Amino acid sequence: MSKPVIATASLAGCFGCHMSLLDIDERILGLIDLVEFNKSPIDDIKTFTKPVDVGLIEGGCCNSENVEVLRSFRKNCKVLVSVGECAIMGGLPAMRNGIPIRECLEEAYLNSPTVDPEDRLIPNDEDLPIILDKVYPCHEVVKIDHFLPGCPPSADLIWEAVTALVEGRPLQLTYDLIKFD
Amino acid sequence: MNDIRFTIDGKECLGKPGQTIVEAAKANGVYIPVLCHFEGLKPVGSCRICTVRVGGRFMAACTQPLIEGMAVENTAPDLEDMRKSLIEMLFVEGNHLCPSCEKSGNCELQALAYRYQLMAPRFPYLWPRRDIDASAPLLMLDGNRCIQCLRCVRACRAKDGRKVFAAVDRSHRVKIEVDKKLAAHLSEDQARRAMDICPVGAILRKETGFAVPIGRRKFDRAPIGSDVEKGTGR
Ligand code: SF4
Ligand code: SF4
Ligand code: FES
């Protein structure tokens, strides 16, 4: 029987959640036996090559590319999981929500004291993804099946959730595993 | 005076005349969640987290006095879901970035979210724009996290009885302001009490943040209310 397939993505996140996934210590050897990775920064596979059982999403959506990636995960993954505070509620990037986007861009590229006076320009190349009016939690963009809170979620929580999902048993999210920080 | 007999979810309980449902429940080892209520303050019944059902009617258990023979419903699934939705509303109505909040681990709103296993709110986030007022020497007031429970307004007074905090405006625009002149003369104890009376991280004592390590904070190990259920609550 072929192994369950996992895919992961980091949208508007800091890669801390991916680090936490790697933080499962020697259990990572068990994980490699248990599952196969498809599209993910961990193995650098860039496009989906087969149907995926469990997709893990770190980070919320701050630009058009994040939305495209998230939608392609929804299309290709049977079960989609929001991993970490940024995926669940926008997290640190969402601190700009509530501030008009023009104000944010002007502060970052025109008015900030670290901007080179010769270089005052709001980037607007057609190759750049379009920045969204605010940062959206993943479940406000596509349907999300499970949420793993934490900044980052503990390695134990990720281990429990991933093994439960690939083994098809219900998640045992005990009190000590559910933390928002 | 004679004890009052009543039930909570069918459990036979005894209470004293003059007790509210919340107080009597606690004395019987039953936890009813509260948020705007704080022991020793006059209850105002504004947050409705403590909603119970008696004879088919919803009531705030923190303000409703006990009546002989009451059959209180506390953990019916629809009640619990209503409470959970109230917690969700409080999260989406403010800006609660727990990872960067000094109150995290000691916050009653967050603790209720843990207790109710709130993973993601069913309502869209509103991202209101709220102010921070750090003008007082010992305290900082962060409107992003305020849930308008008015505990600070009721509890914090200067020596002459004047209120240190006040609510201005109404409805969803209501916000808490600090009297700058009174706040300038708060003692260390008064400042500490203001921070402790606030259920969330909206009132913070400056310069002392993150003193208790993760793992040893109030709600790191056991859910809010478990002390009441074990009969060890204050
Ligand atoms: S006040 Fe409580 S819920 Fe809000 S950010 Fe701080 S810890 Fe989280
Ligand atoms: S500042 Fe704190 S205590 Fe005062 S109303 Fe807001 S949440 Fe309640
Ligand atoms: S605790 Fe009773 S209404 Fe807030």
Side-chain angles (χ1 to χ4, degrees):
Chain A
M1 213 180 80
S2 60
K3 292 196 244 177
V5 184
I6 287 188
T8 76
S10 177
L11 308 179
C14 70
F15 264 93
C17 295
H18 274 81
M19 290 300 140
S20 203
L21 170 63
L22 298 178
D23 198 26
I24 55 179
D25 301 327
E26 75 282 359
R27 286 175 290 185
I28 201 153
L29 299 173
L31 188 66
I32 302 298
D33 285 340
L34 201 61
V35 302
E36 164 190 341
F37 276 81
N38 200 261
K39 179 177 161 65
S40 167
I42 289 176
D43 54 16
D44 214 21
I45 297 180
K46 307 273 193 216
T47 49
F48 288 105
T49 57
K50 54 162 71 171
V52 169
D53 296 291
V54 179
L56 304 176
I57 304 289
E58 160 192 322
C61 291
C62 80
N63 63 31
S64 55
E65 196 223 354
N66 297 153
V67 174
E68 275 166 38
V69 173
L70 182 58
R71 286 191 177 142
S72 80
F73 265 73
R74 183 67 276 183
K75 224 198 241 147
N76 288 281
C77 304
K78 267 189 231 140
V79 173
L80 201 55
V81 187
S82 270
V83 182
E85 287 302 297
C86 297
I88 293 175
M89 55 76 67
L92 191 106
M95 286 183 90
R96 76 164 162 92
N97 292 7
I99 303 173
I101 187 71
R102 172 165 292 280
E103 216 178 301
C104 292
L105 290 171
E106 286 178 353
E107 177 62 26
Y109 294 105
L110 304 183
N111 305 329
S112 155
T114 55
V115 175
D116 181 347
E118 309 287 297
D119 234 9
R120 291 187 204 281
L121 178 71
I122 295 182
N124 191 21
D125 192 286
E126 60 178 25
D127 284 340
L128 291 175
I130 295 168
I131 194 159
L132 305 180
D133 62 332
K134 57 188 179 195
V135 181
Y136 290 84
C138 293
H139 68 269
E140 291 187 15
V141 178
V142 298
K143 181 178 184 302
I144 298 289
D145 305 300
H146 297 281
F147 300 88
L148 305 181
C151 184
S154 67
D156 288 341
L157 172 58
I158 297 180
W159 173 254
E160 163 57 28
V162 169
T163 51
L165 288 173
V166 299
E167 286 163 7
R169 59 179 166 83
L171 274 59
Q172 304 260 328
L173 302 180
T174 51
Y175 184 79
D176 52 309
L177 290 181
I178 304 299
K179 293 286 168 313
F180 295 171
D181 56 8
Chain B
M1 260 188 287
N2 288 339
D3 283 345
I4 295 180
R5 287 180 313 144
F6 70 109
T7 63
I8 304 178
D9 294 329
K11 174 183 155 149
E12 304 272 350
C13 300
L14 287 178
K16 303 248 175 295
Q19 273 183 327
T20 63
I21 298 178
V22 162
E23 288 163 348
K26 187 173 180 179
N28 284 275
V30 176
Y31 175 66
I32 299 175
V34 294
L35 206 44
C36 68
H37 179 53
F38 190 84
E39 227 170 66
L41 294 182
K42 188 165 183 281
V44 289
S46 66
C47 76
R48 300 279 143 175
I49 277 292
C50 65
T51 299
V52 293
R53 190 166 38 209
V54 183
R57 296 181 60 145
F58 297 111
M59 47 188 72
C62 69
T63 53
Q64 173 64 45
L66 208 56
I67 296 170
E68 173 72 31
M70 263 183 166
V72 179
E73 279 181 81
N74 179 37
T75 54
D78 61 329
L79 268 179
E80 293 282 45
D81 188 56
M82 213 151 53
R83 290 173 181 161
K84 190 174 178 185
S85 73
L86 289 174
I87 302 164
E88 293 173 20
M89 283 186 229
L90 290 172
F91 267 89
V92 302
E93 277 170 15
N95 297 309
H96 293 273
L97 182 60
C98 295
S100 73
C101 179
E102 281 180 38
K103 195 82 170 207
S104 193
N106 298 311
C107 166
E108 291 173 36
L109 176 63
Q110 185 192 58
L112 282 169
Y114 292 167
R115 184 173 170 111
Y116 282 86
Q117 294 232 325
L118 166 55
M119 306 306 250
R122 69 195 81 175
F123 311 106
Y125 284 95
L126 299 180
W127 310 114
R129 208 167 172 177
R130 304 254 188 91
D131 300 328
I132 295 177
D133 179 356
S135 59
L138 300 183
L139 287 179
M140 128 166 172
L141 198 60
D142 187 342
N144 290 293
R145 306 182 187 129
C146 175
I147 57 170
Q148 294 93 35
C149 67
L150 307 183
R151 273 161 53 162
C152 58
V153 176
R154 283 174 283 157
C156 302
R157 290 174 189 268
K159 277 202 200 76
D160 59 3
R162 277 185 296 165
K163 290 182 174 175
V164 179
F165 299 92
V168 296
D169 219 330
R170 296 179 70 82
S171 171
H172 66 283
R173 288 181 306 272
V174 75
K175 78 179 198 188
I176 301 301
E177 287 196 347
V178 59
D179 182 314
K180 291 199 168 53
K181 281 197 196 117
L182 294 180
H185 298 103
L186 287 184
S187 69
E188 172 61 42
D189 272 0
Q190 286 171 313
R192 173 61 56 186
R193 170 148 169 89
M195 174 167 175
D196 290 344
I197 207 87
C198 179
V200 290
I203 300 178
L204 295 174
R205 171 73 177 86
K206 284 181 182 173
E207 297 161 5
T208 62
F210 305 106
V212 182
I214 291 179
R216 297 227 303 267
R217 301 167 305 181
K218 206 162 165 193
F219 303 116
D220 277 340
R221 300 205 180 276
I224 189 168
S226 48
D227 53 346
V228 172
E229 287 158 341
K230 280 202 224 91
T232 54
R234 277 174 304 144

